Amino acid sequence: MTSPIDEEAESAALLERLMNQHGNVRELPYNEETAAVKSLVKDLQGETYAPHVAQTGLTSWVEALKTQNDEFATTFDLRNSEMAGRPNGNVKSVRQQLDPLYDKIVDRINAAITLEIAADGVETFVNELNEKIKYYQNTLAIRSGRSQKDETVVE
């Protein structure tokens, strides 16, 4: 807004107020961000703000923002459609088959480490894997707690 042209500075100030009204859309989840950007673009291209966008030389930027937002929305929708089209297997029955095998593998790796016959790097790998497992267990616990909290509020 430091323009030597008064009309340009005034237009920039007006556009800044509009942007502030829409807030920081980058912090929103994808679907909300896409909707907020669509709303902002609609405002910027509307008869109230379009002259100010042109005055500040941002018309091509607004067009690019609209194009990229539309492309993102299309890609996001396609991804969701692909995810919805995936077959849902019976995870419980697969886990019942895999868990005993996983336990045997863990027992053998732990035995090799205890007997000091494990290959170099195995212990480091196990420690890193254990940290990842803890992270995901904590993430699931947090989600589960949030989910249980939401259920009790809905009563």
Side-chain angles (χ1 to χ4, degrees), residues 9-34:
E10 290 168 8
S11 289
L14 186 68
L15 293 175
E16 182 181 35
R17 281 194 294 274
L18 176 66
M19 299 287 250
N20 289 338
Q21 287 173 356
H22 282 273
N24 188 358
V25 298
R26 293 173 298 173
E27 294 178 354
L28 299 173
Y30 290 144
N31 57 339
E32 292 177 33
E33 179 180 357
T34 303

Side-chain angles (χ1 to χ4, degrees), residues 107-118 123:
D107 289 343
R108 288 185 182 177
I109 292 172
N110 287 336
I113 292 171
T114 301
L115 296 172
E116 298 179 359
I117 58 172
E123 194 168 351

Side-chain angles (χ1 to χ4, degrees), residues 133-144:
I133 290 169
K134 286 179 195 174
Y135 170 80
Y136 287 113
Q137 286 174 334
N138 287 336
T139 301
L140 289 174
I142 290 168
R143 287 182 184 169
S144 176

Side-chain angles (χ1 to χ4, degrees), residues 11 15 43-57 59:
S11 289
L15 293 175
D43 287 346
L44 291 170
Q45 291 179 331
E47 67 180 64
T48 303
Y49 294 101
H52 301 288
V53 170
Q55 178 70 39
T56 55
T59 304

